[in-house]
Amino acid sequence: MPELPEVEITARRLTSTLAGAEVESALATGVATLKTYDPQLDRLAGGRIEGVRRIGKMLAVDIDAGEPLTLLVHLMSAGRLQVFDRRASLRDRRSRLLVRIADGRELRLREFGTRQSAWAKLLRRDDVGADEMVATLGPDAFPPPPLETFAELVRQPRHLHPLLRDQRVIAGIGRSWVDEILWQARLSPFKKGSELDDEEVERLHDALPLLGEVIDHYEEVIGESVPDKLPMPLEVHRREGEPCPRCGTTIEAVFFAEHQTNYCPEEQTGGRVLKDRRLSRLLK
Ligand SMILES: [Zn+2]
């Protein structure tokens, strides 16, 4: 699940390999992957890739095609945007969007699993900021917003786990890193933002730079291209049954229909083990 650090390293690596490359053609192979029709994808032919930026959890491929255009890509939960030396077979079921480079390479949006939820929009550069997915984003989680701004954002009567993953509140955090941030801050995923005292807000704010440390980690361990599976340095997420790296207490999990949250009961929930919803998940 690509979140802020994974999307950031992807943007950096794509920029270093693609900046200046000429587009030969582009083709959307996924069902309804391309959400826009003006400008048409054909406009990219002959254009030059300027670079790739991260906007929240989205990637923005800037292409000069006579006019400045941007291919905005959301990887959703299982998408990858990668460069391949050879072109994909059109039978590749994972392909969603192909941008063929004049030198024979190909920038390919692929998606693992059966669902087709990753999407792309081709926009005029000036219109990117007004796109609903961009315009509604909260400030980036890294670098963190000032403490006062952050305090205003999180003091809402909502559980911290969904609150911090809400891109309109703060951008870049998803199901993996939210667990790590809450563990770092020693806060329960089920505590409400409005229940935090000043010291707890500060602890939560102080945990955000871990996203930057993860980017630094990727910079060190990832080579020229980003692999399908990133070496995510997770301490608690998906580590139920293992000892907490800080205090040794067994890490617990709460399972939901499509995700799970992990926490250290000793340090985050006052010693309480929260109700496991796995049974209701299996009965669905
Ligand atoms: Zn612990």
Side-chain angles (χ1 to χ4, degrees), residues 23 25-30 33 41 44 71 81 84 87-90 92 94-101 106-110:
V23 176
S25 61
L27 179 71
T29 49
T33 299
L41 207 48
L44 293 180
L71 189 64
L81 190 64
F84 292 87
R87 286 164 183 183
S89 155
L90 289 178
D92 181 358
R94 285 177 179 166
S95 291
R96 300 287 180 265
L97 188 89
L98 314 171
V99 177
R100 290 172 170 170
I101 311 298
E106 184 172 80
L107 174 64
R108 202 179 303 161
L109 171 61
R110 292 190 304 155

Side-chain angles (χ1 to χ4, degrees), residues 183 186 236 243-251 263-268:
W183 176 75
R186 296 174 167 83
V236 287
C244 167
R246 234 173 6 219
C247 74
T249 305
T250 303
I251 298 291
Y263 63 97
C264 167
E266 178 64 27
E267 298 179 289
Q268 290 177 259

Side-chain angles (χ1 to χ4, degrees), residues 17 52 79 86 94 103 141-142 149 155 162 175 209 218 227 232 260 283:
T17 185
V52 182
R86 280 194 215 153
R94 285 177 179 166
D103 62 16
F142 186 82
T149 310
R155 287 222 156 97
R175 290 164 182 176
Y218 290 151
M232 297 172 79
Q260 68 181 75
L283 290 173

Side-chain angles (χ1 to χ4, degrees), residues 9-131:
I9 196 72
T10 300
R12 291 183 187 181
R13 291 299 187 265
L14 289 177
T15 295
S16 51
T17 185
L18 285 178
E22 190 191 318
V23 176
E24 185 183 289
S25 61
L27 179 71
T29 49
V31 175
T33 299
L34 189 65
K35 303 267 181 219
T36 51
Y37 54 89
D38 177 38
Q40 291 194 335
L41 207 48
D42 292 351
R43 289 281 294 114
L44 293 180
R48 204 160 280 283
I49 297 177
E50 294 162 276
V52 182
R53 296 173 283 144
R54 179 183 62 80
I55 303 178
K57 290 197 282 185
M58 292 173 277
L59 287 159
V61 184
D62 290 327
I63 300 162
D64 178 2
E67 62 175 325
L69 299 179
T70 296
L71 189 64
L72 185 68
V73 175
H74 199 311
L75 302 171
M76 298 301 288
S77 63
R80 298 287 183 274
L81 190 64
Q82 294 157 308
V83 177
F84 292 87
D85 287 336
R86 280 194 215 153
R87 286 164 183 183
S89 155
L90 289 178
R91 288 192 305 267
D92 181 358
R93 289 167 158 237
R94 285 177 179 166
S95 291
R96 300 287 180 265
L97 188 89
L98 314 171
V99 177
R100 290 172 170 170
I101 311 298
D103 62 16
R105 292 180 298 163
E106 184 172 80
L107 174 64
R108 202 179 303 161
L109 171 61
R110 292 190 304 155
E111 197 168 20
F112 293 84
T114 50
R115 234 184 266 180
Q116 296 210 18
S117 53
W119 55 256
K121 294 176 182 178
L122 183 58
L123 303 166
R124 289 182 182 86
R125 188 96 33 96
D126 287 347
D127 296 337
V128 173
D131 179 83

